[in-house]
Amino acid sequence: MAAARKIQRKKLKQQDEFYGYSLKMLNWILRNWRYALAGLAFFLAVVFIVWGINTYLDSQINKSVAKYYQAINLYNQADSNSAKLMEARAIFQQIKKGYSKDLALQGLLYLGHIDYMEGNFEQAVDNYLELYRRAGKKQSLKDLAVLGLSYSYESMKEYSKAISYLHEIINSSESVLTDQAYLSLARLYEQMDNRDKAISIYQDALGKFPQAPWKNVIEAKVELLKNL
């Protein structure tokens, strides 16, 4: 019973202290109501400004994403309509210059693709190189830039540069495009009339990726090269 009375007195004391603080606060507000109102107004203004900024940023992000997908849609229709490819290029240029970093990197990738499709290989190299430098730790984008560079240099018949970039993917333990790099490398040696090297690389690819969907095609290609 004594313990219960002690706990009850402690609760009453805490309540008294709370009421005392509350009364002091209320009295201060009544005496300094102008300051209290000014403080409340300042707090509400800050909340409103923060809300406004967040709302604006969200709307801009949504607009950016919508613009990006609009450009992707135009790009995918470009085979049958060159005007749509030009429109896609214009939007990707905007994305490259004024959008978030992730979207800007995607813009660079597609600008490289568009230049490559149009035969502007030197400009494609510039876009792929910029993507390669800015991609940082985004390995998938970096690998796509490397493949783009190798295709562009191959089209320009600068085979040694194309080969050096492909080896970067082949030597990476993180790349998911290693099989594509092997196939591209073998194709380059074919174009350089180094048939034995091409066969060797194709066989390496078959050994490293025995379940690949391109297995039968490459096996047939190897047999064809052997019989030339």
Side-chain angles (χ1 to χ4, degrees), residues 22-123:
S22 299
L23 286 172
K24 287 179 181 179
M25 181 63 70
L26 181 59
N27 287 331
W28 184 90
I29 291 172
L30 289 173
R31 289 195 306 269
N32 302 278
W33 61 271
R34 290 184 180 86
Y35 299 113
L37 284 177
L40 178 60
F42 176 76
F43 172 76
L44 292 175
V46 170
V47 170
F48 180 76
I49 290 170
V50 170
W51 173 81
I53 291 172
N54 287 334
T55 301
Y56 172 77
L57 291 176
D58 287 342
S59 69
Q60 291 301 107
I61 290 171
N62 290 336
K63 288 179 182 177
S64 301
V65 172
K67 205 75 173 173
Y68 169 75
Y69 282 110
Q70 179 190 358
I72 293 292
N73 187 47
L74 289 166
Y75 174 84
N76 289 333
Q77 300 175 44
D79 287 341
S80 58
N81 192 330
S82 59
K84 290 186 176 181
L85 190 63
M86 291 177 62
E87 191 176 348
R89 177 196 289 279
I91 296 173
F92 283 127
Q93 286 284 7
Q94 294 174 14
I95 291 171
K96 169 189 169 182
K97 293 177 181 178
Y99 287 56
S100 68
K101 180 181 177 181
D102 287 342
L103 287 181
L105 293 177
Q106 293 289 339
L108 276 170
L109 177 65
Y110 280 98
L111 284 171
H113 292 348
I114 291 171
D115 284 321
Y116 181 84
M117 290 169 63
E118 293 182 333
N120 300 321
F121 302 123
E122 290 184 1
Q123 185 59 47

Side-chain angles (χ1 to χ4, degrees), residues 182-200:
Y182 269 100
L183 299 183
S184 294
L185 186 61
R187 185 183 66 252
L188 280 166
Y189 279 108
E190 279 190 76
Q191 295 194 45
M192 296 168 67
D193 293 325
N194 192 337
R195 191 172 58 198
D196 291 340
K197 186 70 172 177
I199 291 171
S200 175

Side-chain angles (χ1 to χ4, degrees), residues 154-167:
E154 178 182 351
S155 298
M156 296 163 67
K157 301 189 184 305
E158 296 187 32
Y159 300 129
S160 60
K161 289 183 179 179
I163 288 171
S164 67
Y165 276 107
L166 289 172
H167 275 295

